[in-house]
């Protein structure tokens, strides 16, 4: 279906296919008061390009109800495993059930569960970055989902594992759940309601401290983060709410997330984030949205440039805010407003251009090699992010 | 043959195929007296899951007698090269000869040469872990094998290389050989006799000390190892013997291995290990065994679950002991008894569940970050290991 | 065309193919006066084998004028990205234009632009190693090329990016250009003229110093390098000239390169290198050369061994000299003469054997863990390099 080859054994039971993605990003920041200590050292006003994601995967089925996948991330010089699983699926009267064993992209939230191939902007919203994605975007363990017959689903996952091979302490324990429902779905008009949450234990040897550094204006600039509290964490609990809607060429989404981190030495730290986004498809098609999984996805492209058309064009705006102020554990806050343009040339190629006006107010630096002032106190500026993307 | 696609050029001379494996393991240990120094620090009683192996390979032939293969291991965040070679093979009157140039899985012993896809348990026996696999499971250099016409083979390999690119000293020199013969092979009844050995030189700059940490009850738990001597090694010599047999649904195997490490400062350290295992196929098929290579392999699966059957079920038991006691260089000892169940759903999927009752008696810790007591002195406990495996 | 499978979607617009290479090298050095400080420590007279390159790639087109490629290097335990790009090409009246976005093998010089699959020797010449390849062999950013209708081309590239994901400073800025022309091309006789150059800015935080260590007699031996100046670099500028020719079974090439590095604290360092090589195809075919790109490439192989022939045999010689003498910044010098044999069995397999007689005169060591004498002062010796290569 995606255009890449898929093979099958003579009896058709074993199948084997390939996929991949390239996301090549550019970023430039200006206006920060942290403009370099001596010359170009420790400046937030930096520019450049990087490969955000370079992925290859193989996937298929072993026999009718059993699936497998190996996906690897190549962009960071180390090999990253992403989806690596065995799965079994079954059709029931009330819907479809599926069980994954291994590493599976987590069902964390509306933006959090959206594939990086189809997020509206170059990065997910702050609720995903700072709350529901904090324990990692991949669940290593057992992941289950049930897709109902009426535009709804519920998932439940237990994680106690990692992809690293040197194990000198128990893996952290994490449970996650998410559900969504589309009470309205006329095809043209869709309403999305969702809720999500997780609970995580911290093994003191494996992860002695909860540390938080959240993307506010694109992932490229590592000096530009909202730094949260540092907590000698015992466990953490999170919950989130999702509201979204589509009507013809218009789409909107809003999310709220809350995270509580309990300290071993007593007390707790609290983080929260919210985000809202609106979009309009200039070329008239609906935004991509899956009523099965309750996530954003590839939109319809009525006139691909490869058929002489102009592709699918969207303009969109987003506001997001992070608040992790904490006297004892030292969290900061920040917010950003982003305006962007999305151009799908065809289903394989896409360009994004977006500008974020941001503010941060950090209390401490958790960045190794940070400057003496730690990018602390009030700062604001402007960041332009761009992406060229190929998906196959 | 394995179900994955294989391609060939129009003249049929160039071929190209894919393969892979996923091994997702779980492990939990209890009963060790090393139960954590302060809370959860440095405990042997840990639990969790990990990807033991995630591999992809491409292989094929360049033209009729010339073969190639590139296999990579993805589970450890660094890229590991496994089989990466050019090979030439030729049929003679007395058998088949093959020469590999590059990196080739070493013909180290009965369990040592068995692919991790087809070992009876989640890990190889202690003879492989502590003796014949110590210089590494892959031979980088020249590997030759001759497969006779009468269920016998002999191999010889010279290693002087690595897959690392920063070379500031000479590569270690290693020679290896192994031979097997099946004096009885009625199809239903098979007797296996084998012998193996190696000699290795140590470059003082590249590997100043011989260090040994052997798996006794599963690879997951890095705190649970039998630590051997630390020797300022000049060279080492090893030899081993193999005895195995199959009779209908029954199979058994036994191995002995001996390793001598010569010190540059005089004297030597001695390690030895032995292991015996028995198995019964509940569903009646023979255990998988190759009379060509003298190794365990994929068994027959008469009724795969994917054809409505119950798959191939085996129960098996194993005992293994390591002894590297040494006053001067400080080796320890340990032994373990394992009971397990093996379930081949079909030729692609397999589950293993096994329980090991183990004892260790270490004299020193060679683990970075080990506790002050170094997991030394007598300890015993119980470890359950499980595996879900996909091979394609 | 290369024999590996290529797939296409039903409408033929989306294509997808695989490729790879294995280069397994051996090397042994003798005659150096740095023969080890205590036993085998810090000797230049070392021997061994390594995987020089192990690469896999996927590539194809998304639709008629849009191409993509992902190539990864597996030989160094970390994942290296090589060609990873989106590209668009278009035919004009005067020639063919192409634009690459992402990471593209740089058009740096005659030897520098030649694929490692088709270089005459196991390593490129000193002009590529010490001058035009210094800023990296891959251009991350925008690369353009125009291939004229009359055996000529010009390229221009802007680089400001990396494949690393932790960005705490701006990426370095680099511009590159190269052009070639074949004023004579009778098919049998070809004359090559070329010129190349680049300008690079240094971000002080990202790359505080210009450091240079050049291969003079094969890449294996990391102790055997010509170490150049260490400069607190502000920017650097390079230019180079190329002259080559083919006449029947004879081929020759010569290159000169100059590099100037400006210090932030004032003054500059100067490096230069030149190289000349001659070759004769014993079996009579022409050497491989592309009049489109102005590079060496796969030669004709009239009688592959796989058709009962003897393959394509070449003998060749090369001289190269590096001069980076600098009182203030401490550069050294060196030169080498190499004699070699090249045997293409068929278009997939090739063997190289070459011997280099070399001299180095280093002034400082820039190698971590170098001996106290730093391999400094006059030294000479002999290095034999060999390669077994598979390309598919």
């Amino acid at each position: 279906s995606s255009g890449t080859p898929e093979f099958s054994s003579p009896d058709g039971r074993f199948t084997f296919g390939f996929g991949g993605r390239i996301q090549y990003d550019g970023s430039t920041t200006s206006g920060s008061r942290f403009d370099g200590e001596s010359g170009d050292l420790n400046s937030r006003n930096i520019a450049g390009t990087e490969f955000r994601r370079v992925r290859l995967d193989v996937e298929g089925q072993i026999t009718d109800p059993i699936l497998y996948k190996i996906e690897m991330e190549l962009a960071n010089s180390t090999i990253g495993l992403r989806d690596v699983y065995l799965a079994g699926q079954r059709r029931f009267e009330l819907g479809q059930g599926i069980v994954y064993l291994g590493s599976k992209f987590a069902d964390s939230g509306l933006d959090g569960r959206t594939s990086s191939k189809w997020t509206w902007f170059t990065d997910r919203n702050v609720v995903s970055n700072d709350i529901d994605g904090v324990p990692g975007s991949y669940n290593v363990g057992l992941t289950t989902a049930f897709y109902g017959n009426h535009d709804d689903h519920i998932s439940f996952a237990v994680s106690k594992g990692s992809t690293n091979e040197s194990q000198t302490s128990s893996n952290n324990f994490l449970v996650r759940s998410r559900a969504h429902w589309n009470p309205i779905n006329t095809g043209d008009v869709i309403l999305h309601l969702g809720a999500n949450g997780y609970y995580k234990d911290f093994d003191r040897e494996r992860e002695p401290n909860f540390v938080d550094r959240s993307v506010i204006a694109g992932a490229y600039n590592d000096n530009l983060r909202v730094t949260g509290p540092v907590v000698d964490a015992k466990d953490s609990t999170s919950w989130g709410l999702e509201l979204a809607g589509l009507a013809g060429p218009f789409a909107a989404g809003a999310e709220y997330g809350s995270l509580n981190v309990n300290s071993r030495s007593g007390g707790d730290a609290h983080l929260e984030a919210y985000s809202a986004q609106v979009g309009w498809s200039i070329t008239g098609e609906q935004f991509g949205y899956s009523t099965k999984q309750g996530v954003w996805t590839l939109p319809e492209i009525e006139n691909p440039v490869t058929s002489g058309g102009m592709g699918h064009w969207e303009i969109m705006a987003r506001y997001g805010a992070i608040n992790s102020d904490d006297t004892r554990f030292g969290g900061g806050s920040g917010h950003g407003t982003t305006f962007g343009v999305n151009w799908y040339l065809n289903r394989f190629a896409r360009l994004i251009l977006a500008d974020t006006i941001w503010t941060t107010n950090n209390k401490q630096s958790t960045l190794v090699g940070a400057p003496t002032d730690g990018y602390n106190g009030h700062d604001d500026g402007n960041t332009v992010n761009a992406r060229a993307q190929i998906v196959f």
Side-chain angles (χ1 to χ4, degrees), chain A:
Chain A
S1 69
S2 71
T4 45
E6 191 166 293
F7 312 98
S8 58
S9 57
D11 65 1
R13 280 192 170 147
F14 182 86
T15 67
F16 188 78
F18 298 91
R21 75 186 76 165
I22 305 174
Q23 293 178 342
Y24 179 57
D25 289 10
S27 175
T28 180
T29 296
S30 58
S32 166
R33 68 181 178 90
F34 299 105
D35 197 30
E37 287 186 321
S38 67
D40 43 7
L41 285 167
N42 296 124
S43 171
R44 274 186 164 180
N45 299 317
I46 65 176
T49 67
E50 71 174 6
F51 287 97
R52 182 76 164 91
R53 292 180 184 88
V54 179
R55 291 199 189 164
L56 290 173
D57 68 75
V58 299
E59 61 185 309
Q61 74 174 30
I62 280 181
T63 186
D64 186 16
I66 306 181
L67 311 171
Y68 68 93
K69 186 172 179 184
I70 298 179
E71 182 182 29
M72 46 185 173
E73 170 64 62
L74 311 170
N76 305 309
S77 81
T78 55
I79 273 280
L81 294 180
R82 297 298 181 257
D83 275 349
V84 182
Y85 58 72
L86 304 60
Q89 61 187 0
R90 188 159 171 194
R91 183 98 232 143
F92 297 92
E93 200 178 322
L94 296 173
Q96 182 199 16
I98 188 158
V99 177
Y100 300 89
L101 190 61
S103 171
K104 174 73 183 69
F105 186 52
D107 193 14
S108 59
L110 172 54
D111 232 40
R113 175 65 178 87
T114 296
S115 166
S116 71
K117 298 186 285 191
W118 316 126
T119 51
W120 291 18
F121 296 89
T122 56
D123 281 280
R124 293 192 179 87
N125 66 22
V126 289
V127 178
S128 172
N129 287 332
D130 200 47
I131 307 289
D132 62 45
V134 168
S137 296
Y138 288 82
N139 189 62
V140 182
L142 194 76
T143 302
T144 65
F146 189 85
Y147 299 106
N149 294 328
H150 305 289
D151 302 328
D152 62 289
H153 95 283
I154 185 162
S155 71
F156 185 78
V158 181
S159 182
K160 188 176 177 65
S162 71
T163 57
N164 188 310
E165 255 206 5
S166 187
Q167 313 291 356
T168 57
S169 56
S170 290
N171 288 110
N172 291 323
F173 174 79
L174 168 75
V175 288
R176 254 192 195 287
S177 185
R178 180 176 174 248
H180 102 281
W181 179 41
N182 300 122
I184 301 171
N185 176 8
T186 69
D188 194 54
V189 177
I190 301 173
L191 180 66
H192 169 103
L193 303 176
N196 57 71
Y198 65 81
Y199 168 84
K200 180 187 174 181
D201 264 339
F202 286 75
D203 181 281
R204 198 198 300 195
E205 186 171 355
R206 191 174 284 271
E207 194 174 351
N209 286 308
F210 170 93
V211 179
D212 181 61
R213 302 184 71 244
S214 182
V215 167
I216 186 80
Y220 175 87
N221 190 335
D222 278 328
N223 298 333
L224 176 51
R225 294 288 186 268
V226 176
T227 53
V230 177
V231 188
D232 54 330
K234 193 173 65 179
D235 55 46
S236 66
T237 311
S238 164
W239 59 273
L241 295 176
E242 314 161 10
L243 174 68
L246 295 93
F250 297 95
E255 286 192 82
Y256 171 82
S258 165
L259 171 59
N260 220 64
V261 185
N262 285 308
S263 160
R264 284 194 311 274
S265 57
D268 60 351
H270 185 246
L271 297 86
E272 63 179 3
Y274 54 91
S275 177
Q277 63 197 50
V278 292
W280 172 51
S281 165
I282 305 174
T283 41
E285 302 98 325
Q286 206 175 35
F287 273 61
Y289 175 83
S290 162
T291 54
K292 180 183 176 187
Q293 298 184 313
V295 297
W296 305 112
T297 183
L298 172 68
E300 289 287 305
I301 302 160
E302 278 176 18
N303 298 295
V305 294
T306 47
S307 306
M310 63 181 295
H312 172 111
W313 286 81
E314 297 169 354
I315 55 170
M316 59 276 177
R318 181 167 73 183
Y319 176 79
I322 295 172
N323 189 342
S324 64
D325 284 323
D326 192 287
T327 320
R328 177 168 164 212
F329 298 106
S333 63
H335 55 92
T337 306
T338 307
F339 300 94
V341 181
N342 226 325
W343 180 25
Y344 288 90
L345 286 77
N346 62 6
R347 60 183 175 160
F348 300 115
R350 173 201 192 189
L351 301 173
I352 309 176
L353 182 67
D355 182 82
T356 302
I357 303 151
W358 52 265
T359 301
T360 66
N361 195 352
N362 290 340
K363 292 196 177 154
Q364 62 183 331
S365 176
T366 55
L367 171 66
V368 176
T372 46
D373 57 15
Y375 304 120
N376 291 344
H378 178 89
D379 187 29
D380 55 63
N382 192 71
T383 301
V384 178
N385 288 294
R387 169 170 298 166
Q389 172 178 297
I390 294 281
V391 171
F392 55 85

